Amino acid sequence: MITRRNFCKKTMLLVGGMAVPLAALELFDPKKLLADKSDKDKVRWVFLVDTTKCVGCGFCVKSCKIENEVPYDANVTRTWVERYIITKDGATHIDSPKGARDGFETSQIDLGEGKFLDIKKEDISKAFFVPKLCNQCDNPPCVQVCPVGATYQTEDGVVLVDRSWCIGCGYCIMGCPYGVRFFHPVYRVAEKCNFCYHRITKGMKTACVDACAFGARQIGNLKNPDDPVTKIIMTERVNVLKEEYGTKPQVFYLGLTKEVK
Amino acid sequence: MVHGELWTVKELFVYPNEYIYWTIQIVMYPFMTGLVAGAFVLSSLYHVFGVTQLKGIARFSLVFSFALLPVAMLPLMLHLLQPQRGIEVMMTPHFTSAIAAFGIVFSTYGMIVASELWFVYRKHFVETAMELRQLGDRTFSQHLRHLLFSALTLGAMDISEHALEKDEKAVKILAGIGIPVACFLHGYAGFIFGSVKANALWMTPLMPVIFICSAVVSGIALCMLTYIVTMEARKLIAAWKRKQYPELPSPEELKSAEVHVVTMTAKYLIMFLILAITLELLDLIFRGYTAVKSWDILRSVIYGRDFVNIFVIQYGMGNLVPFIIFLLPRLTIKRAVAGTLMVLLGVFMMRWNVVIGGQAFSSSFAGFMHYHLPIWPHDMETFKEGLFGALTVIVTPFILFWFLDKVMPVFKETH
Ligand code: SF4
Ligand code: SF4
């Protein structure tokens, strides 16, 4: 007969006995193995934008569209340039017609819905351009929310989209606070800037960096202390966009002002 | 043309890639899951808490909840740009994503409702199967029915008093487990929105609870409405049939049961309605009171651009008016129909205002977007994300319900 005491004893023994081999079963983590052998910790791609150098020509936007096969006439773009005009009354006027693909051809501000605003030169207190692109966040909400893992982050910090896996739900588009994502008009999946991953991993610069005649855009490796970009980030007063979202953006700006959205 | 460009109008400074990406189908999605959860909660009030007055509507809402179930998935599928890959959510779920949990929660819930239905209707299955078995020469359709019902019994042919008692116990347990799962199913639909920190309107931990409460409200309202409509139809049919078979119950007898059930259900409806409104107002007041950075643009959307949608249609016509309708003494069937219709409108507008209203302003906080619902479809996209896509989603559960009623007769006394 099984007494209660006996039962308890046996159960304890059983549980204990099962726990021993389970504890020995440490989960095999392929990443750990990789870390031991390779030197993957050597690269972290970052971007540096010098807003004081940008003239709003839009060459970067153009070259990006061509390089990355985003249909030239589609009203979406992986990178764009914003124009800021702050008038003496303190108002901020912003626009980015067609993402500034053709630069800013008129001095009028595009208000959408076919309306334009004329600002007199003498009313302007300051004006500047701000290029935008995916921030390759260190804590990317787009990766977090993707239900199938089609958006993922590489070891060197770049966030990529797997076109053959994305189901086109748009959750990542909603999750990105910077509004950089869109649906590719041809492939009909999520699309965004990937720092020209196919170029930088071969030692080249991104298409937009190559296209910028004014040196407003630079790409670098934060893990390399001798990289000129790293040196600037480490020693000068750089800033990032929308830090409050906790996304840890890796696109750094020189000369950012409070008006920039 | 870029996805979204067709129905989005931009104003002031909006980031170049921003469009209204989540359209009417994403409004339909929480609306339909809300109905599923609400209908189930209503049926559980009888099964678990023994609210006997709701007996008439309990079985009905359980079957209806089951009919609504596949429809919760339909809007999501219609919305995907790559619907053929939709199944990947189940195959390679990414557990940091709220949508990925959908498959698991949804199938758990589906299994609970299915097994509950099985226990409720087991006696009917067995009886029908036996009846058909006794028939000597079966027609083809009878043969099919026999196969179907024999399969549905799952071989459990015992319908003794004792076995049926056990069935009832099982129903009670399943209904009990079902309530939290149903709430979770819908709460997490709210979580999908509430956890999008990039969107100032959605970002609130109250979102799941608000969604659950209004879900129950909408589920109860829909069950009431459908119940009334089917009962009316039955009355008409009964009056017509009585000409031939006078022994059938008279329309008056059928009617008395109806008013009673409707008044009782209306009480629960009001209870949940109060809860839903309180939470929504709390959210609004809290946002205004704390007035964080995003409040400026939220205020201009809530009190300016969406004023009619939010305060006139949602709160006024969808909440206040039905509230008065149900609270006035001596509720009549006609008034109940008007009331439930308005409640449904109110809940639909709440979903609309959350999903579309949440995209009405740019992440730049410096511009606005308007959504023009595509009415006449001229390609697949405008069909799927337009009026007719939404209508398809609305009609489907009724068609399914009609089929289900053939197998699991809602109005026939079983136990
Ligand atoms: S900027 Fe947006 S798309 Fe790029 S990594 Fe961050 S969240 Fe993702
Ligand atoms: S749209 Fe594609 S990449 Fe974005 S969350 Fe959905 S499945 Fe992932």
Side-chain angles (χ1 to χ4, degrees):
Chain A
M1 195 181 107
I2 303 177
T3 63
R4 198 180 307 165
R5 168 188 293 256
N6 222 329
F7 175 76
C8 288
K9 233 172 156 180
K10 287 215 167 107
T11 318
M12 298 276 262
L13 261 176
L14 191 74
V15 171
M18 268 162 56
V20 172
L22 271 181
L25 240 177
E26 202 201 338
L27 280 183
F28 167 72
D29 183 1
K31 270 193 195 146
K32 232 183 202 168
L33 268 182
L34 196 73
D36 291 342
K37 286 191 197 120
S38 72
D39 48 3
K40 55 108 195 169
D41 275 341
K42 289 272 159 63
V43 184
R44 201 321 168 187
W45 296 108
V46 290
F47 212 86
L48 180 69
V49 179
D50 190 343
T51 58
T52 59
K53 286 186 182 156
C54 178
V55 298
C57 64
F59 284 178
C60 50
V61 182
K62 224 177 244 174
S63 68
C64 171
K65 280 207 154 184
I66 295 164
E67 172 73 27
N68 293 298
E69 289 164 342
V70 175
Y72 196 69
D73 282 320
N75 282 322
V76 281
T77 172
R78 285 174 164 216
T79 182
W80 68 91
V81 182
E82 294 165 5
R83 166 169 63 179
Y84 286 75
I85 298 182
I86 291 111
T87 44
K88 287 188 177 137
D89 58 2
T92 308
H93 306 276
I94 320 166
D95 73 345
S96 180
K98 275 201 170 282
R101 186 193 71 188
D102 308 318
F104 295 86
E105 292 165 310
T106 95
S107 62
Q108 292 174 316
I109 286 277
D110 185 355
L111 296 178
E113 295 189 275
K115 284 185 236 141
F116 292 89
L117 176 74
D118 247 328
I119 300 176
K120 288 200 207 82
K121 273 217 176 83
E122 56 269 25
D123 289 339
I124 298 173
S125 73
K126 62 178 166 181
F128 51 88
F129 300 98
V130 179
K132 294 269 183 85
L133 66 165
C134 170
N135 287 280
Q136 311 297 353
C137 309
D138 231 7
N139 182 19
C142 56
V143 172
Q144 181 186 15
V145 298
C146 178
V148 290
T151 286
Y152 61 100
Q153 191 171 24
T154 58
E155 296 277 313
D156 44 11
V158 179
V159 173
L160 302 176
V161 185
D162 184 343
R163 277 188 188 154
S164 65
W165 210 245
C166 166
I167 59 175
C169 65
Y171 204 8
C172 57
I173 301 183
M174 293 296 151
C176 171
Y178 305 95
V180 304
R181 286 182 164 250
F182 56 95
F183 281 124
H184 195 290
V186 178
Y187 303 109
R188 297 175 65 76
V189 291
E191 172 84 6
K192 68 167 193 76
C193 159
N194 59 1
F195 276 4
C196 284
Y197 200 63
H198 55 290
R199 291 169 67 102
I200 54 174
T201 44
K202 289 199 192 89
M204 297 157 81
K205 298 254 184 264
T206 69
C208 59
V209 169
D210 271 351
C212 184
F214 304 90
R217 291 175 176 246
Q218 290 182 66
I219 187 152
N221 172 12
L222 196 64
K223 297 250 168 83
N224 176 6
D226 300 325
D227 192 313
V229 171
T230 311
K231 278 187 183 154
I232 295 176
I233 293 173
M234 291 306 180
T235 56
E236 291 190 38
R237 279 176 276 176
V238 290
N239 219 331
V240 292
L241 295 168
K242 301 190 184 191
E243 206 185 355
E244 65 274 19
Y245 287 104
T247 51
K248 303 200 180 99
Q250 301 296 313
V251 172
F252 297 89
Y253 283 86
L254 276 167
L256 210 60
T257 70
K258 68 176 172 52
E259 288 88 3
V260 177
K261 307 277 182 180
Chain B
M1 211 173 231
V2 176
H3 182 78
E5 202 175 346
L6 205 61
W7 48 74
T8 313
V9 176
K10 297 182 176 187
E11 196 189 329
L12 297 174
F13 178 62
V14 175
Y15 291 138
N17 295 336
E18 278 185 311
Y19 293 97
I20 307 265
Y21 286 110
W22 281 2
T23 54
I24 182 88
Q25 291 300 352
I26 300 298
V27 178
M28 293 310 294
Y29 162 62
F31 186 63
M32 296 319 274
T33 40
L35 295 176
V36 176
F40 185 81
V41 169
L42 181 62
S43 82
S44 300
L45 284 177
Y46 164 68
H47 289 301
V48 181
F49 302 110
V51 185
T52 40
Q53 291 97 322
L54 292 183
K55 188 172 183 222
I57 205 167
R59 176 139 25 111
F60 171 81
S61 43
L62 186 62
V63 177
F64 204 68
S65 170
F66 196 59
L68 281 164
L69 203 56
V71 184
M73 221 157 54
L74 194 61
L76 277 188
M77 290 307 284
L78 283 175
H79 158 76
L80 294 185
L81 255 63
Q82 301 284 352
Q84 78 287 0
R85 294 185 196 153
I87 191 73
E88 281 168 15
V89 178
M90 309 285 268
M91 306 306 213
T92 52
H94 209 233
F95 288 105
T96 55
S97 168
I99 291 187
F102 179 79
I104 300 159
V105 181
F106 182 80
S107 33
T108 315
Y109 176 71
M111 280 185 302
I112 290 175
V113 182
S115 22
E116 189 176 337
L117 274 173
W118 185 76
F119 281 115
V120 170
Y121 281 100
R122 199 176 63 86
K123 181 167 170 240
H124 172 71
F125 295 154
V126 174
E127 281 171 355
T128 319
M130 299 281 228
E131 243 169 62
L132 288 166
R133 189 167 302 173
Q134 258 129 43
L135 288 181
D137 43 340
R138 289 188 284 258
T139 62
F140 183 66
S141 80
Q142 276 171 336
H143 185 69
L144 280 185
R145 267 170 64 83
H146 177 230
L147 278 182
L148 174 70
F149 278 96
S150 309
L152 280 174
T153 60
L154 299 178
M157 304 300 274
D158 181 5
I159 46 171
S160 64
E161 199 59 33
H162 180 65
L164 290 182
E165 249 169 48
K166 269 194 177 162
D167 280 2
E168 240 163 82
K169 217 179 255 165
V171 169
K172 205 168 180 163
I173 295 171
L174 283 169
I177 307 171
I179 296 178
V181 180
C183 289
F184 190 68
L185 175 73
H186 201 68
Y188 112 93
F191 187 82
I192 290 180
F193 295 97
S195 62
V196 176
K197 62 181 168 186
N199 190 305
L201 185 79
W202 296 343
M203 175 64 186
T204 161
L206 280 185
M207 200 59 95
V209 209
I210 293 177
F211 265 56
I212 292 172
C213 288
S214 55
V216 178
V217 171
S218 66
I220 296 180
L222 184 69
C223 283
M224 260 171 88
L225 183 67
T226 325
Y227 180 75
I228 293 172
V229 173
T230 27
M231 287 303 263
E232 288 297 316
R234 265 161 50 88
K235 246 186 295 175
L236 284 182
I237 297 168
W240 179 71
K241 270 195 183 159
R242 245 167 80 91
K243 287 185 192 138
Q244 288 167 303
Y245 312 100
E247 72 278 5
L248 285 172
S250 73
E252 284 70 39
E253 276 172 76
L254 286 172
K255 192 173 178 169
S256 66
E258 196 181 341
V259 179
H260 191 66
V261 170
V262 169
T263 333
M264 192 63 201
T265 324
K267 284 209 179 100
Y268 285 92
L269 180 71
I270 291 185
M271 222 170 68
F272 283 102
L273 194 61
I274 295 176
L275 210 61
I277 302 173
T278 317
L279 283 168
E280 276 172 56
L281 289 182
L282 171 68
D283 183 48
L284 198 63
I285 294 168
F286 193 81
R287 283 170 191 276
Y289 192 79
T290 52
V292 292
K293 192 177 165 195
S294 56
W295 177 242
D296 267 341
I297 193 131
L298 281 189
R299 189 179 43 203
S300 66
V301 168
I302 295 171
Y303 295 116
R305 281 153 206 275
D306 277 0
F307 184 85
V308 174
N309 278 354
I310 295 178
F311 291 98
V312 179
I313 309 185
Q314 184 189 329
Y315 288 125
M317 284 165 68
N319 292 345
L320 192 66
V321 177
F323 198 68
I324 296 170
I325 289 183
F326 286 121
L327 274 191
L328 286 178
R330 284 185 298 282
L331 184 67
T332 61
I333 292 296
K334 277 208 190 90
R335 246 171 55 205
V337 170
T340 47
L341 278 175
M342 295 186 97
V343 166
L344 284 173
L345 170 77
V347 175
F348 180 80
M349 281 317 285
M350 182 254 160
R351 312 297 197 229
W352 177 279
N353 292 333
V354 167
V355 175
I356 305 296
Q359 297 170 86
F361 54 92
S362 160
S363 316
S364 69
F365 290 170
F368 301 94
M369 283 182 281
H370 309 277
Y371 172 54
H372 290 291
L373 176 75
I375 308 279
W376 283 112
H378 42 79
D379 56 13
M380 201 51 194
E381 197 154 289
T382 40
F383 169 77
K384 280 185 354 177
E385 315 236 13
L387 182 68
F388 284 88
L391 288 178
T392 314
V393 173
I394 291 179
V395 173
T396 318
F398 293 98
I399 299 172
L400 287 178
F401 181 70
W402 186 79
F403 278 112
L404 279 178
D405 185 54
K406 296 263 169 284
V407 184
M408 297 180 278
V410 171
F411 297 101
K412 187 180 164 236
E413 271 308 311
T414 50
H415 283 31

